[in-house]
Amino acid sequence: MNVLTFDIEEWYLESVKTGRKEKYEEFDRYLEAILNKLDERSIQATFFCVGEMGRLFPEVVRKIQGRGHEIGCHSNIHTWLDKMQPDECREDTRIAVDSLEQCIGKKVKSYRAPAFSITSKNPWAFEILAENGIEMDASVFPAVRDFGGFPEFNSTTPVIVSYKGINIKEFPVCPINWWGRQIVYSGGGYFRFFPKVYINKKLKKSEYVMMYFHISDLSGYKEQFMSKITYEEYYKESGTLFNRMKRYFKDNFAFGNTFNKFQSIMSGVRFSNLEQVDKEINWKKSINIQ
Ligand SMILES: [Zn+2]
């Protein structure tokens, strides 16, 4: 069972960060190429969109929906959940879900937090998702990562999360053991790093894989080197030269042929979205989060 997901925020982030409207066309072009590839293979994916996309770029969200894909929620303005207090998160989620539902005229049932920011420190987020009608979540990264990460989470396959009487179907990402390290190859930097032969082999052998992409992962879009102020505002940690260089390197590492690699993998492996996979799973496994 291979799940294909995209997080959609580029148009909105570009509009608030730099206002370079010419970049929208580039994002449009990559989106079209992705949608064409998925059409060719009759693959339906889940696209998690930020709420502001529903208000500022409704045509992008509707286009994705019109091509048969599931629209999920990716917060309102891409604020990481672990940087918010519960009340802020509640408001953010309410606005985001409402904007997307108004945009597509349909209930939004799936959610992914920016930067996988549901961790052991903010399990209350599950309660907020349930209050907003979210039934399926894909925000858990059950390993250590630079930001966020939920290494204490006890499952790397779909599982029902119970928290204070609510239940949410969780689709975590799926780390593998690589030279003694828990890493995730199905998105982000390691997807760019590993050759496609390796990724294809892993995909074919695995029972469950959660693939996750941003348009910028595939387009070769270069992140700019951040000023101290911008870095600290966004990452909420000290913007030392070392921290900023590390982030710049990780964000821009090994972009070369990522879109070709993506296309080749789509050609050889079957993928589905959360709505489809939900129907195939026998939801017996559950874990209690305190
Ligand atoms: Zn994102």
Side-chain angles (χ1 to χ4, degrees):
M1 172 195 333
N2 301 311
V3 188
L4 180 62
T5 63
F6 295 85
D7 298 352
I8 299 294
E9 72 237 12
E10 276 81 2
W11 291 256
Y12 159 69
L13 288 183
E14 196 66 36
S15 77
V16 293
K17 270 191 195 164
T18 69
R20 288 180 301 180
K21 290 194 173 160
E22 64 276 14
K23 295 299 282 183
Y24 304 163
E25 279 173 27
E26 188 184 325
F27 301 144
D28 286 340
R29 223 173 33 246
Y30 270 96
L31 175 62
E32 184 61 28
I34 290 167
L35 294 175
N36 288 344
K37 185 69 204 175
L38 302 186
D39 277 355
E40 186 190 310
R41 298 278 299 141
S42 303
I43 293 172
Q44 289 173 289
T46 299
F47 287 74
F48 297 103
C49 305
V50 293
E52 276 280 304
M53 288 291 299
R55 292 188 296 276
L56 296 180
F57 301 92
E59 67 286 357
V60 175
V61 181
R62 288 191 196 121
K63 177 180 187 164
I64 298 169
Q65 183 199 25
R67 302 280 281 265
H69 303 286
E70 178 188 12
I71 302 296
C73 178
H74 191 45
S75 83
N76 188 39
I77 53 169
H78 212 256
T79 310
W80 301 2
L81 270 56
D82 55 357
K83 292 176 187 168
M84 290 191 266
Q85 294 301 313
D87 281 351
E88 292 172 288
C89 180
R90 184 167 280 114
E91 189 62 0
D92 183 275
T93 310
R94 186 187 64 73
I95 296 170
V97 169
D98 186 55
S99 298
L100 292 170
E101 289 180 350
Q102 299 239 11
C103 177
I104 61 171
K106 198 180 163 195
K107 180 85 201 86
V108 168
K109 294 190 288 187
S110 302
Y111 186 92
R112 169 172 292 139
F116 299 101
S117 52
I118 297 185
T119 71
S120 58
K121 295 187 194 108
N122 58 354
W124 41 258
F126 290 117
E127 206 176 6
I128 292 172
L129 298 187
E131 284 167 17
N132 285 281
I134 298 294
E135 296 169 17
M136 296 180 277
D137 177 65
S139 306
V140 170
F141 193 102
V144 176
R145 74 195 298 265
D146 272 2
F147 299 102
F150 198 157
E152 308 85 351
F153 194 83
N154 253 336
S155 181
T156 55
T157 53
V159 65
I160 292 180
V161 168
S162 300
Y163 176 79
K164 294 194 175 172
I166 61 102
N167 292 317
I168 292 240
K169 293 167 179 169
E170 179 61 43
F171 294 81
V173 295
C174 39
I176 54 163
N177 191 307
W178 189 66
W179 299 91
R181 264 180 81 116
Q182 291 291 100
I183 61 127
V184 174
Y185 69 88
S186 55
Y190 283 107
F191 177 82
R192 300 200 298 269
F193 172 73
F194 285 119
K196 67 183 176 204
V197 179
Y198 178 87
I199 294 178
N200 263 321
K201 210 166 96 190
K202 281 275 169 204
L203 275 166
K204 283 176 183 156
K205 270 205 224 151
S206 307
E207 273 180 36
Y208 163 76
V209 176
M210 165 61 72
M211 301 290 286
Y212 61 97
F213 297 106
H214 287 87
I215 300 264
S216 54
D217 294 332
L218 302 175
S219 69
Y221 171 73
K222 287 261 180 215
E223 281 290 338
Q224 292 174 318
F225 188 69
M226 282 184 166
S227 71
K228 191 169 187 301
I229 294 173
T230 318
Y231 183 95
E232 289 180 351
E233 216 171 83
Y234 191 73
Y235 291 113
K236 304 272 188 282
E237 67 166 23
S238 173
T240 59
L241 187 61
F242 175 76
N243 281 349
R244 285 183 287 146
M245 283 179 72
K246 189 172 81 172
R247 180 54 30 203
Y248 179 78
F249 176 74
K250 286 196 166 183
D251 284 346
N252 293 316
F253 169 71
F255 264 108
N257 245 346
T258 320
F259 192 71
N260 287 346
K261 191 191 286 182
F262 165 79
Q263 298 207 75
S264 146
I265 285 164
M266 289 302 118
S267 297
V269 184
R270 291 301 313 158
F271 288 95
S272 311
N273 64 22
L274 290 190
E275 271 179 333
Q276 294 169 317
V277 169
D278 173 36
K279 296 187 187 110
E280 289 172 29
I281 296 174
N282 183 357
W283 288 101
K284 277 193 178 150
K285 196 168 101 176
S286 71
I287 50 179
N288 233 314
I289 306 271
Q290 301 298 328

